[in-house]
Amino acid sequence: MTPLSEPERAAVLEALDDEHLAWATYDQVLHDFGPVRPFLNIRAAEARHIGALEALCRRYAVPIPNNPWIGRVPRYDSIHDACLAGITAEIENAALYERLNAVTQHPDVLRVFHNLCSASQQRHLPAFRRCASRGRDCGGNGPRTARG
């Protein structure tokens, strides 16, 4: 097995950082508003994304960092606002993976990047768009505002 080059190593860690950020953000939304969709399902998906990237780290002996984003993410005034931010984040995620794909030739890394990007674009982005389309009344079991 050919080791990762330094740019490939950095790409895997950048992808992991982005998935950590997404997980922590969606976890904060759930903390603020309760077990609301799509955040409940997407947070679980982000945990699987993190697991796939951590498996690459283990395979290539890349130290796995802790999630630096827990407690350091934006908070939203409503689920609607959080869904709008989710749309932006998932669009940016696609651009991230397109850029990261250009730095590796390892088929396993490319496969993981492709799978994570596909999940983001084919599942998460549409879910956030549906949530945002419901307007300010999109539901949840928690308070409508979470500041304070």
Side-chain angles (χ1 to χ4, degrees), residues 54-86:
E54 287 177 345
L56 287 176
C57 288
R58 285 189 293 278
R59 183 175 306 138
Y60 291 103
V62 175
I64 300 171
N66 291 325
N67 187 336
W69 295 105
I70 296 172
R72 297 181 50 227
V73 295
R75 295 181 75 181
Y76 301 98
D77 291 329
S78 68
I79 296 166
H80 180 259
D81 289 346
C83 285
L84 292 173

Side-chain angles (χ1 to χ4, degrees), residues 11-85:
V12 169
L13 290 173
E14 186 175 353
L16 181 57
D17 185 66
D18 188 67
E19 300 296 344
H20 276 156
L21 174 59
W23 185 92
T25 300
Y26 305 152
D27 187 65
Q28 185 65 57
V29 171
L30 292 169
H31 181 308
D32 290 343
F33 296 99
V36 295
R37 289 188 178 157
F39 295 94
L40 191 62
N41 297 341
I42 295 175
R43 181 188 63 178
E46 299 299 351
R48 290 188 298 275
H49 295 188
I50 289 166
L53 291 163
E54 287 177 345
L56 287 176
C57 288
R58 285 189 293 278
R59 183 175 306 138
Y60 291 103
V62 175
I64 300 171
N66 291 325
N67 187 336
W69 295 105
I70 296 172
R72 297 181 50 227
V73 295
R75 295 181 75 181
Y76 301 98
D77 291 329
S78 68
I79 296 166
H80 180 259
D81 289 346
C83 285
L84 292 173

Side-chain angles (χ1 to χ4, degrees), residues 26 46 86-94 120-121 124-125 128:
Y26 305 152
E46 299 299 351
I87 291 168
T88 299
E90 298 298 342
I91 291 169
E92 290 171 354
N93 183 265
S120 174
Q121 297 307 293
H124 305 180
L125 183 57
F128 284 132

